[in-house]
Amino acid sequence: MNRRLMDIWVGVFVVIGFAALLFLALRASDVASSNLGETYRLKARFDNIGGLKVRGPVKSAGVVVGRVAKISLDPKDYEAIVTMKIDKRYRFPKDTYASILTSGLLGEQYIGLDIGGDEKMLNPGEIFARTQSAIVLEKLIGQFMFSKAAEGTDKK
Amino acid sequence: MPERLFSAVAGLGHSLNNVFQRLGFAARFFMMLLRYSGQSFCRFRLTVREIYFSGFQSLLIMLVSSLFIGMVLGLQGFETLQRFGSADALGVMVALSLTRELGPVVAALLFASRAGSSITAEIGLMKATEQLMAMDMMAINPIARVVAPKFWGGVLSMPLLASLFSAIGIFGGYLIGVVFIGVDEGAFWSQMQGAVDFRFDIWNGIIKSFVFGIAVSLIAVFEGYDAIPTAEGVSASIRRTVVNSALTILALDFVLTSFMFRGL
Amino acid sequence: MPFDDRLIHIDKLDFSYDDRVILRDVSMEIPRGKLVAIMGNSGCGKTTLLRLIGGQLKPTGGFLSVDGQSVPDMPLSNLYALRRRIGMLFQFGALFTDISVFDNVAYPIREHTRLPEEIIYDLVLMKLNAVGLRGAQGLMPSELSGGMARRVALARAVALDPSLIMYDEPFTGLDPISMGVIGQLIRKLNDALGATTLLVTHDVQEALDLVDYVYFMSGGEVVAHGTPDEIRKASDPVVHQFVHGEADGPLRFHFPAPPFGAELMRERANA
């Protein structure tokens, strides 16, 4: 086996391997958008986070602006504390609404930010004052049935 | 009857003893391998040669099998997802199965049977024909000159082969899902991009393949070096390389998966 | 037989694998510049002795020195320095099967020196010419006959002009012509290189015509030594049996077994 030829084939092999890795990075996972660059942290308290998970997306107007970094339970009032990493480029007003939403009917859960009108912006480490918890399907159905039943008895 | 029971227990103890003894030998061998690796890195050409034999020459089998696995994933995934009306998530399913599990695992299994067995055969035959001993008598350390380059050639090839496996597999899934069945192309790719995380899914897969590469290459060179220098001895070593590699890959995969993807 | 200038000095050397004794109380002196044969029947520990001299095995007892340095006590780096000065021909040549004849001979030169490729080319052709195989430089080892492979291995063993050349059964499995060729080469190389040669063999007649001195081994012990003429005339029954190729003598033709008649009877009794 010619040495030069072998070197060339090994070079080809390495190039193909890295091309495959590049394909996985750019085409299969879109490394550019999942990489947030510089971030700062914001917190929010929820009564119930439903199926929200670490690394779940934080979206504003449907655009991913951050990821869930940590989820913990406050031992005093039993509320969930969700820490988010938010892209440095985006700042949000103090009265922004953070709610836990579901993409599609059965999709993953994410935090949606509804922008308020306050002039003041949230500083790194601060807490969203206004939040809305996840909607738990069973509770929703329970409420619906209860109110239907109540309607029924009212009519009689 | 108690005599037979006794001999069965003794046999069990004996084979257990053997297993641990060989594990000890392998660990000592690995230490020696690492110690002489520096010498062989100074002559990287030797390792390049081994990358050619174990990496480049495994390309074809990787390409063909990954394409087929991707296409099967596309077919089966579509069948199942369609029942829940979420055929758009086909890309996610194909990409995650490949990058997290099938890419590293199947590529390593193929690598063990394609390259691992030939590494064992080559070293074993060199031992059987006294080539290793001759080298040693020429004041050339056979571990630095023959074993370490083969080991590192395998270790370096494995992540590249696994990446390639995943990439071609995804392409196979695309071919079946989008081109033949008609899943929406935009949904296929964008859902995949939304759900697959580079650092979490792909990078962990690469780490897995790296670990498998170390395991398979070590088993292959050890079995070759430890072979009984006869025709039967070498063939038994090759068999052990393939069997032990497969078991090790699957067991390690379980361990790594439980560490990497726990809590999700 | 004390020599003033001995290259190898072995004194009361013992070697055993676990509890199987291979060498017992072996003492030898190999003079510089001479061609010495170690003879004996198969499995008498001759090959083990070579590996002990090369430092690939460690003796369980006794003293072994090459050029004044004790081999078992050497650190690996010194051992490798010693081995660079030793050329060894293995029983079946042990050529590297994945490279050509030329590359095989060039192998030790390329590994141990930084000579430019043109000089290596000249050196290799010289060595191949000495064994008469300059024309076979492009062949692969699998294309060579047994005798040719042995000669290529010989060229490789002397590629670095060693001061000690060891041959492990160089005549095994060769036709008479190849045997004669190898024998002549061994003598010629020893004299031309001014090297010391250690020849392990059981081809007594072939070797007795070549060498300067003979050690006779049997069952892991040295049973006789002397010049070829002394050996030919020796009265020792083992040596006599060996030199004259008798099937049975002090060395039994039969592997140890119970008496034949008794064994036959037992077979019948079992049936």
Side-chain angles (χ1 to χ4, degrees):
Chain A
M1 186 77 203
N2 190 331
R3 271 180 165 191
R4 261 187 77 77
L5 202 61
M6 196 183 286
D7 287 353
I8 291 169
W9 284 126
V10 170
V12 167
F13 169 65
V14 172
V15 168
I16 291 177
F18 276 101
L21 193 60
L22 207 67
F23 167 84
L24 291 179
L26 298 179
R27 200 67 216 261
S29 76
D30 199 9
V31 73
S33 76
S34 77
N35 229 337
L36 289 170
E38 298 226 4
T39 57
Y40 66 99
R41 279 166 188 257
L42 288 177
K43 284 182 187 170
R45 303 172 78 93
F46 297 96
D47 293 332
N48 191 334
I49 58 164
L52 188 70
K53 288 184 175 122
V54 172
R55 286 184 345 94
V58 180
K59 296 182 185 180
S60 177
V63 178
V64 178
V65 296
R67 301 237 167 231
V68 174
K70 197 178 132 196
I71 297 172
S72 58
L73 186 70
D74 188 329
K76 281 181 204 137
D77 54 11
Y78 299 101
E79 275 189 332
I81 305 169
V82 176
T83 312
M84 293 161 255
K85 279 185 186 167
I86 307 287
D87 195 316
K88 269 241 165 92
R89 286 173 294 174
Y90 308 116
R91 302 298 298 272
F92 297 98
K94 286 239 169 180
D95 59 346
T96 296
Y97 233 113
S99 24
I100 295 180
L101 304 170
T102 309
S103 53
L105 190 59
L106 298 164
E108 61 171 353
Q109 291 193 297
Y110 65 96
I111 296 182
L113 303 178
D114 294 306
I115 309 301
D118 203 320
E119 298 272 298
K120 287 181 193 156
M121 295 289 167
L122 280 166
N123 289 319
E126 283 190 324
I127 293 186
F128 285 102
R130 298 162 25 144
T131 62
Q132 184 177 356
S133 288
I135 296 162
V136 179
L137 207 59
E138 289 89 331
K139 280 190 185 168
L140 200 69
I141 293 168
Q143 271 173 9
F144 175 73
M145 283 169 65
F146 189 75
S147 63
K148 274 284 175 201
E151 264 176 41
T153 47
D154 284 355
K155 274 182 186 168
K156 271 178 190 173
Chain B
M1 191 59 201
E3 201 168 295
R4 277 177 66 183
L5 191 71
F6 179 74
S7 71
V9 172
L12 187 71
H14 183 72
S15 51
L16 211 65
N17 192 15
N18 272 352
V19 166
F20 279 102
Q21 201 175 12
R22 279 182 67 77
L23 275 179
F25 282 151
R28 238 176 56 190
F29 178 76
F30 190 39
M31 287 298 136
M32 209 149 67
L33 180 71
L34 292 182
R35 215 172 74 204
Y36 295 122
S37 287
Q39 278 181 44
S40 56
F41 275 138
C42 293
R43 294 175 61 194
F44 199 67
R45 169 165 295 285
L46 297 174
T47 308
V48 168
R49 196 184 115 90
E50 299 306 332
I51 293 177
Y52 173 82
F53 284 117
S54 47
F56 179 78
Q57 294 205 335
S58 307
L59 271 182
L60 192 67
I61 187 175
M62 293 289 168
L63 288 179
V64 174
S65 43
S66 61
L67 194 66
F68 277 114
I69 285 194
M71 295 196 317
V72 169
L73 277 178
L75 270 178
Q76 292 282 18
F78 178 77
E79 281 295 311
T80 312
L81 290 172
Q82 195 195 28
R83 282 187 222 167
F84 304 104
S86 37
D88 284 352
L90 183 65
V92 179
M93 201 212 82
V94 171
L96 284 184
S97 335
L98 279 164
T99 54
R100 283 184 176 190
E101 292 293 338
L102 289 174
V105 171
V106 180
L109 289 174
L110 290 172
F111 184 78
S113 44
R114 168 68 180 75
S117 60
S118 66
I119 288 174
T120 305
E122 211 180 325
I123 297 179
L125 282 174
M126 285 185 85
K127 187 181 181 189
T129 54
E130 295 184 319
Q131 292 181 44
L132 292 183
M133 207 194 283
M135 217 176 254
D136 196 34
M137 274 305 291
M138 284 182 212
I140 298 160
N141 189 327
I143 292 188
R145 180 64 174 76
V146 175
V147 174
K150 285 189 196 299
F151 173 77
W152 289 110
V155 171
L156 295 178
S157 298
M158 196 58 242
L160 294 176
L161 288 172
S163 308
L164 189 77
F165 196 97
S166 299
I168 300 292
I170 290 172
F171 177 73
Y174 165 82
L175 212 61
I176 288 297
V178 175
V179 178
F180 286 101
I181 298 178
V183 173
D184 182 59
E185 181 165 0
F188 184 88
W189 290 114
S190 66
Q191 291 230 4
M192 190 191 300
Q193 291 185 350
V196 179
D197 185 78
F198 181 75
R199 259 184 254 164
F200 189 70
D201 297 311
I202 295 174
W203 197 240
N204 274 343
I206 304 277
I207 291 173
K208 269 189 181 180
S209 66
F210 188 67
V211 174
F212 296 160
I214 292 175
V216 173
S217 306
L218 181 63
I219 289 171
V221 293
F222 175 69
E223 290 294 353
Y225 198 77
D226 194 50
I228 296 163
T230 60
E232 295 82 20
V234 174
S235 90
S237 282
I238 296 170
R239 188 191 63 222
R240 278 202 301 273
T241 293
V242 176
V243 173
N244 292 356
S245 297
L247 293 177
T248 311
I249 290 165
L250 295 173
L252 273 178
D253 182 50
F254 172 73
V255 174
L256 288 174
T257 300
S258 62
F259 275 109
M260 288 170 169
F261 300 102
R262 194 169 48 184
L264 274 145
Chain C
M1 183 197 64
F3 291 101
D4 308 332
D5 190 15
R6 59 194 178 200
L7 183 69
I8 301 174
H9 182 200
I10 299 171
D11 195 31
K12 295 197 173 60
L13 196 71
D14 290 314
F15 182 79
S16 51
Y17 281 116
D18 296 327
D19 36 300
R20 202 156 53 91
V21 176
I22 310 288
L23 296 177
R24 193 184 305 120
D25 203 21
V26 172
S27 297
M28 283 183 189
E29 289 183 332
I30 313 290
R32 215 179 280 273
K34 298 286 186 201
L35 205 168
V36 177
I38 299 172
M39 294 189 202
N41 54 321
S42 312
C44 72
K46 305 182 302 265
T47 306
T48 308
L49 192 62
L50 289 190
R51 296 187 61 196
L52 283 163
I53 293 171
Q56 284 190 323
L57 296 172
K58 286 215 186 299
T60 39
F63 175 78
L64 193 169
S65 77
V66 176
D67 217 1
Q69 291 171 285
S70 168
V71 175
D73 302 326
M74 273 186 202
L76 196 65
S77 53
N78 289 19
L79 201 57
Y80 270 7
L82 170 70
R83 286 185 195 163
R84 284 187 201 198
R85 299 193 289 129
I86 299 178
M88 180 155 171
L89 180 69
F90 281 81
Q91 193 163 357
F92 295 106
L95 291 176
F96 301 129
T97 41
D98 56 336
I99 53 178
S100 70
V101 165
F102 180 92
D103 290 329
N104 259 287
V105 180
Y107 194 92
I109 308 177
R110 285 187 180 138
E111 290 289 325
H112 288 311
T113 66
R114 295 191 175 278
L115 293 175
E117 206 54 30
E118 304 89 67
I119 295 181
I120 291 179
Y121 182 79
D122 294 348
L123 279 175
V124 172
L125 285 200
M126 269 165 58
K127 301 295 174 192
L128 279 174
N129 199 43
V131 298
L133 288 177
R134 190 161 43 86
Q137 54 174 299
L139 298 182
M140 295 301 280
S142 55
E143 298 170 290
L144 302 175
S145 72
M148 284 161 82
R150 212 70 60 88
R151 276 147 74 187
V152 174
L154 188 51
R156 187 182 66 178
V158 299
L160 290 171
D161 294 339
S163 51
L164 171 65
I165 313 174
M166 302 198 287
Y167 297 90
D168 186 7
E169 303 283 11
F171 303 119
T172 309
L174 293 186
D175 60 87
I177 299 173
S178 304
M179 228 152 146
V181 169
I182 296 275
Q184 288 312 308
L185 277 173
I186 289 173
R187 185 77 238 186
K188 235 172 67 188
L189 283 170
N190 183 67
D191 299 345
L193 293 171
T196 309
T197 303
L198 205 52
L199 172 66
V200 159
T201 182
H202 52 238
D203 282 281
V204 178
Q205 296 306 336
E206 191 65 43
L208 282 179
D209 297 337
L210 283 174
V211 301
D212 300 318
Y213 203 82
V214 178
Y215 281 92
F216 235 99
M217 288 179 69
S218 177
E221 289 174 272
V222 175
V223 291
H225 56 90
T227 60
D229 287 338
E230 288 167 3
I231 290 292
R232 282 200 186 92
K233 290 181 210 134
S235 55
D236 187 284
V238 178
V239 179
H240 189 270
Q241 184 195 355
F242 222 89
V243 172
H244 297 279
E246 291 157 356
D248 218 350
L251 297 174
R252 307 301 302 185
F253 165 70
H254 286 291
F255 192 77
F260 198 23
E263 194 151 23
L264 284 175
M265 292 314 287
R266 195 182 56 197
E267 284 298 311
R268 214 154 292 164
N270 284 351

